[in-house]
Amino acid sequence: MAALVPSLGVIGGTAQGQVAHTRAPASLDDLLRPYLSRYSLPALAAAVVRGGIIVGAGAVGTRRSGTTSPVTVGDRFHIGSDTKAMTALVAAMFVEQGALRWDSTVGSIFTELAAPMDPGLRDVTLQQLLSHSSGLPSDNDAFGLLLTQSFAQEGLNLDELRYWLVQRASKQPLATKPGTTFAYSNLGYMIVGAMLERTGKRTWEELIVERVFDPLRLKSAGFGPQSSLGRVDAPLGHITREDGTLKPMLAGPNGDNPAIMGPAGVVHLSILDFAVWAGWNAAEGSRAPALVHPETVRKLHTKIIEVPPPPNAPPGTPARGGYGMGWGILKLSYVPEPVITHDGSNTMNLASIVIQPAQDFGMVLATNVSGTKANDALRAATEELFTRFGTSH
């Protein structure tokens, strides 16, 4: 069943301010539909934005495998680690305000923890944490144990729980010298979240709502499982069983990453709102709302560290190219210049964002299953969308 494309209202803007746009974008349903059977996807959504205007959007498939409940472009999809760019943007706001510096260290923010802290971590900077060059190891057994122990902490708000995490993690030694090696670390972004909470005197969730969701009018955006408890009002994430069948995951304790991981990846939103986010970044902050200066957005998008090709990189994590702060920089064979991009997955969903600031062009894709097939589907659909909508070939 074809998804209906509703009136979009205010979805983008120019350097002078946001503009109203009510013309429906071109439907991508026919382009997307073949991917469902080809890659065993329950659902697939995508949108393309140029000059702040969504020029194409579509959503096909079902919210829950084995049912006929159709997805729509208004449905919430989970974007996983694509959340990291939002965390980096809030950090940039604090830097512009003078409340933080790119070279602010973990020890300088948590002075009361500095003495017992691992000496290496004490001097790790905000920029190193945001670029995964802090020296922290990629997610390992020690990180998994911290997540498990976090469930046993009673009476704590999320900001207090993240501070607890910093206390526990701060004594663990670094794996490499800071600034020298890329290692994709969700823990690093959780530490950044705690730094932002200490600086902004709000939970990370409140900061994201106040400083990203509300100014950009991302009304569908929220945190955690994209569906409501007891309802299938959004595409459910799916786990692939050993026999290849799909198991839908209802909202609940196993429907998403633990909430403590928020700064690293728990945002959900519609494909249309995801496209608004892409369009704002594609304009490098020159389009309203003026959240930070354009040069600051360009800094977030600029490569800081090389990403070596890791063996068997899980879907949703960088596999090659470079990394800035919350964004990867990647050369695609079918695009002349490198693109700014990121993938995200909570192992039950997969999302991708690709932007070309020089062309003020971007696209977003999301599906409600993860794994190799889903990853291949998003890669193939990205190339097809570039072929159809890209401003340069």
Side-chain angles (χ1 to χ4, degrees), residues 218-230:
L218 307 180
K219 293 184 178 180
S220 68
F223 309 100
Q226 57 267 42
S227 61
S228 304
L229 198 63

mmCIF file with all atom_site columns, all heavy atoms in Angstrom, residues 218-230:
data_model
loop_
_atom_site.group_PDB
_atom_site.id
_atom_site.type_symbol
_atom_site.label_atom_id
_atom_site.label_alt_id
_atom_site.label_comp_id
_atom_site.label_asym_id
_atom_site.label_entity_id
_atom_site.label_seq_id
_atom_site.pdbx_PDB_ins_code
_atom_site.Cartn_x
_atom_site.Cartn_y
_atom_site.Cartn_z
_atom_site.occupancy
_atom_site.B_iso_or_equiv
_atom_site.pdbx_formal_charge
_atom_site.auth_seq_id
_atom_site.auth_comp_id
_atom_site.auth_asym_id
_atom_site.auth_atom_id
_atom_site.pdbx_PDB_model_num
ATOM 1  N N   . LEU A 1 218 ? 11.134 19.614 15.080 1.00 0.00 ? 218 LEU A N   1
ATOM 2  C CA  . LEU A 1 218 ? 11.112 18.169 14.838 1.00 0.00 ? 218 LEU A CA  1
ATOM 3  C C   . LEU A 1 218 ? 10.083 17.555 15.773 1.00 0.00 ? 218 LEU A C   1
ATOM 4  O O   . LEU A 1 218 ? 10.397 16.930 16.791 1.00 0.00 ? 218 LEU A O   1
ATOM 5  C CB  . LEU A 1 218 ? 12.506 17.571 15.083 1.00 0.00 ? 218 LEU A CB  1
ATOM 6  C CG  . LEU A 1 218 ? 13.664 18.242 14.338 1.00 0.00 ? 218 LEU A CG  1
ATOM 7  C CD1 . LEU A 1 218 ? 14.983 17.558 14.667 1.00 0.00 ? 218 LEU A CD1 1
ATOM 8  C CD2 . LEU A 1 218 ? 13.419 18.245 12.826 1.00 0.00 ? 218 LEU A CD2 1
ATOM 9  N N   . LYS A 1 219 ? 8.809  17.727 15.420 1.00 0.00 ? 219 LYS A N   1
ATOM 10 C CA  . LYS A 1 219 ? 7.729  17.391 16.335 1.00 0.00 ? 219 LYS A CA  1
ATOM 11 C C   . LYS A 1 219 ? 7.579  15.895 16.571 1.00 0.00 ? 219 LYS A C   1
ATOM 12 O O   . LYS A 1 219 ? 7.021  15.470 17.584 1.00 0.00 ? 219 LYS A O   1
ATOM 13 C CB  . LYS A 1 219 ? 6.410  17.975 15.816 1.00 0.00 ? 219 LYS A CB  1
ATOM 14 C CG  . LYS A 1 219 ? 6.396  19.507 15.844 1.00 0.00 ? 219 LYS A CG  1
ATOM 15 C CD  . LYS A 1 219 ? 5.056  20.069 15.423 1.00 0.00 ? 219 LYS A CD  1
ATOM 16 C CE  . LYS A 1 219 ? 5.069  21.596 15.506 1.00 0.00 ? 219 LYS A CE  1
ATOM 17 N NZ  . LYS A 1 219 ? 3.766  22.191 15.092 1.00 0.00 ? 219 LYS A NZ  1
ATOM 18 N N   . SER A 1 220 ? 8.071  15.073 15.661 1.00 0.00 ? 220 SER A N   1
ATOM 19 C CA  . SER A 1 220 ? 7.960  13.623 15.840 1.00 0.00 ? 220 SER A CA  1
ATOM 20 C C   . SER A 1 220 ? 9.108  13.058 16.666 1.00 0.00 ? 220 SER A C   1
ATOM 21 O O   . SER A 1 220 ? 9.091  11.883 17.026 1.00 0.00 ? 220 SER A O   1
ATOM 22 C CB  . SER A 1 220 ? 7.932  12.933 14.473 1.00 0.00 ? 220 SER A CB  1
ATOM 23 O OG  . SER A 1 220 ? 9.197  13.064 13.828 1.00 0.00 ? 220 SER A OG  1
ATOM 24 N N   . ALA A 1 221 ? 10.122 13.870 16.954 1.00 0.00 ? 221 ALA A N   1
ATOM 25 C CA  . ALA A 1 221 ? 11.346 13.365 17.570 1.00 0.00 ? 221 ALA A CA  1
ATOM 26 C C   . ALA A 1 221 ? 11.154 13.024 19.035 1.00 0.00 ? 221 ALA A C   1
ATOM 27 O O   . ALA A 1 221 ? 10.441 13.714 19.775 1.00 0.00 ? 221 ALA A O   1
ATOM 28 C CB  . ALA A 1 221 ? 12.466 14.385 17.413 1.00 0.00 ? 221 ALA A CB  1
ATOM 29 N N   . GLY A 1 222 ? 11.793 11.953 19.451 1.00 0.00 ? 222 GLY A N   1
ATOM 30 C CA  . GLY A 1 222 ? 11.750 11.527 20.841 1.00 0.00 ? 222 GLY A CA  1
ATOM 31 C C   . GLY A 1 222 ? 12.896 10.574 21.118 1.00 0.00 ? 222 GLY A C   1
ATOM 32 O O   . GLY A 1 222 ? 13.834 10.455 20.329 1.00 0.00 ? 222 GLY A O   1
ATOM 33 N N   . PHE A 1 223 ? 12.806 9.865  22.243 1.00 0.00 ? 223 PHE A N   1
ATOM 34 C CA  . PHE A 1 223 ? 13.897 9.013  22.695 1.00 0.00 ? 223 PHE A CA  1
ATOM 35 C C   . PHE A 1 223 ? 13.387 7.611  22.994 1.00 0.00 ? 223 PHE A C   1
ATOM 36 O O   . PHE A 1 223 ? 12.268 7.430  23.449 1.00 0.00 ? 223 PHE A O   1
ATOM 37 C CB  . PHE A 1 223 ? 14.532 9.591  23.960 1.00 0.00 ? 223 PHE A CB  1
ATOM 38 C CG  . PHE A 1 223 ? 14.913 11.039 23.848 1.00 0.00 ? 223 PHE A CG  1
ATOM 39 C CD1 . PHE A 1 223 ? 14.100 12.035 24.372 1.00 0.00 ? 223 PHE A CD1 1
ATOM 40 C CD2 . PHE A 1 223 ? 16.088 11.417 23.207 1.00 0.00 ? 223 PHE A CD2 1
ATOM 41 C CE1 . PHE A 1 223 ? 14.451 13.372 24.278 1.00 0.00 ? 223 PHE A CE1 1
ATOM 42 C CE2 . PHE A 1 223 ? 16.439 12.752 23.097 1.00 0.00 ? 223 PHE A CE2 1
ATOM 43 C CZ  . PHE A 1 223 ? 15.620 13.731 23.631 1.00 0.00 ? 223 PHE A CZ  1
ATOM 44 N N   . GLY A 1 224 ? 14.233 6.624  22.761 1.00 0.00 ? 224 GLY A N   1
ATOM 45 C CA  . GLY A 1 224 ? 13.900 5.254  23.114 1.00 0.00 ? 224 GLY A CA  1
ATOM 46 C C   . GLY A 1 224 ? 13.151 4.542  22.004 1.00 0.00 ? 224 GLY A C   1
ATOM 47 O O   . GLY A 1 224 ? 13.180 4.956  20.838 1.00 0.00 ? 224 GLY A O   1
ATOM 48 N N   . PRO A 1 225 ? 12.462 3.435  22.348 1.00 0.00 ? 225 PRO A N   1
ATOM 49 C CA  . PRO A 1 225 ? 11.722 2.692  21.321 1.00 0.00 ? 225 PRO A CA  1
ATOM 50 C C   . PRO A 1 225 ? 10.784 3.615  20.559 1.00 0.00 ? 225 PRO A C   1
ATOM 51 O O   . PRO A 1 225 ? 10.115 4.470  21.160 1.00 0.00 ? 225 PRO A O   1
ATOM 52 C CB  . PRO A 1 225 ? 10.948 1.645  22.133 1.00 0.00 ? 225 PRO A CB  1
ATOM 53 C CG  . PRO A 1 225 ? 11.738 1.485  23.382 1.00 0.00 ? 225 PRO A CG  1
ATOM 54 C CD  . PRO A 1 225 ? 12.310 2.837  23.685 1.00 0.00 ? 225 PRO A CD  1
ATOM 55 N N   . GLN A 1 226 ? 10.713 3.450  19.246 1.00 0.00 ? 226 GLN A N   1
ATOM 56 C CA  . GLN A 1 226 ? 9.908  4.363  18.441 1.00 0.00 ? 226 GLN A CA  1
ATOM 57 C C   . GLN A 1 226 ? 8.410  4.124  18.585 1.00 0.00 ? 226 GLN A C   1
ATOM 58 O O   . GLN A 1 226 ? 7.605  5.005  18.298 1.00 0.00 ? 226 GLN A O   1
ATOM 59 C CB  . GLN A 1 226 ? 10.312 4.280  16.967 1.00 0.00 ? 226 GLN A CB  1
ATOM 60 C CG  . GLN A 1 226 ? 10.233 2.903  16.329 1.00 0.00 ? 226 GLN A CG  1
ATOM 61 C CD  . GLN A 1 226 ? 11.542 2.140  16.395 1.00 0.00 ? 226 GLN A CD  1
ATOM 62 O OE1 . GLN A 1 226 ? 12.234 2.148  17.412 1.00 0.00 ? 226 GLN A OE1 1
ATOM 63 N NE2 . GLN A 1 226 ? 11.895 1.464  15.316 1.00 0.00 ? 226 GLN A NE2 1
ATOM 64 N N   . SER A 1 227 ? 8.029  2.941  19.037 1.00 0.00 ? 227 SER A N   1
ATOM 65 C CA  . SER A 1 227 ? 6.613  2.660  19.268 1.00 0.00 ? 227 SER A CA  1
ATOM 66 C C   . SER A 1 227 ? 6.273  2.882  20.737 1.00 0.00 ? 227 SER A C   1
ATOM 67 O O   . SER A 1 227 ? 7.155  2.878  21.603 1.00 0.00 ? 227 SER A O   1
ATOM 68 C CB  . SER A 1 227 ? 6.270  1.216  18.878 1.00 0.00 ? 227 SER A CB  1
ATOM 69 O OG  . SER A 1 227 ? 7.010  0.305  19.664 1.00 0.00 ? 227 SER A OG  1
ATOM 70 N N   . SER A 1 228 ? 4.993  3.095  21.023 1.00 0.00 ? 228 SER A N   1
ATOM 71 C CA  . SER A 1 228 ? 4.526  3.307  22.393 1.00 0.00 ? 228 SER A CA  1
ATOM 72 C C   . SER A 1 228 ? 4.294  1.964  23.076 1.00 0.00 ? 228 SER A C   1
ATOM 73 O O   . SER A 1 228 ? 3.960  0.964  22.425 1.00 0.00 ? 228 SER A O   1
ATOM 74 C CB  . SER A 1 228 ? 3.227  4.116  22.400 1.00 0.00 ? 228 SER A CB  1
ATOM 75 O OG  . SER A 1 228 ? 3.395  5.332  21.712 1.00 0.00 ? 228 SER A OG  1
ATOM 76 N N   . LEU A 1 229 ? 4.440  1.941  24.378 1.00 0.00 ? 229 LEU A N   1
ATOM 77 C CA  . LEU A 1 229 ? 4.210  0.723  25.143 1.00 0.00 ? 229 LEU A CA  1
ATOM 78 C C   . LEU A 1 229 ? 2.767  0.256  24.944 1.00 0.00 ? 229 LEU A C   1
ATOM 79 O O   . LEU A 1 229 ? 1.827  1.010  25.147 1.00 0.00 ? 229 LEU A O   1
ATOM 80 C CB  . LEU A 1 229 ? 4.479  0.988  26.629 1.00 0.00 ? 229 LEU A CB  1
ATOM 81 C CG  . LEU A 1 229 ? 4.694  -0.233 27.524 1.00 0.00 ? 229 LEU A CG  1
ATOM 82 C CD1 . LEU A 1 229 ? 5.933  -1.005 27.100 1.00 0.00 ? 229 LEU A CD1 1
ATOM 83 C CD2 . LEU A 1 229 ? 4.824  0.205  28.981 1.00 0.00 ? 229 LEU A CD2 1
ATOM 84 N N   . GLY A 1 230 ? 2.616  -0.977 24.513 1.00 0.00 ? 230 GLY A N   1
ATOM 85 C CA  . GLY A 1 230 ? 1.290  -1.545 24.303 1.00 0.00 ? 230 GLY A CA  1
ATOM 86 C C   . GLY A 1 230 ? 0.668  -1.224 22.965 1.00 0.00 ? 230 GLY A C   1
ATOM 87 O O   . GLY A 1 230 ? -0.454 -1.654 22.688 1.00 0.00 ? 230 GLY A O   1
#
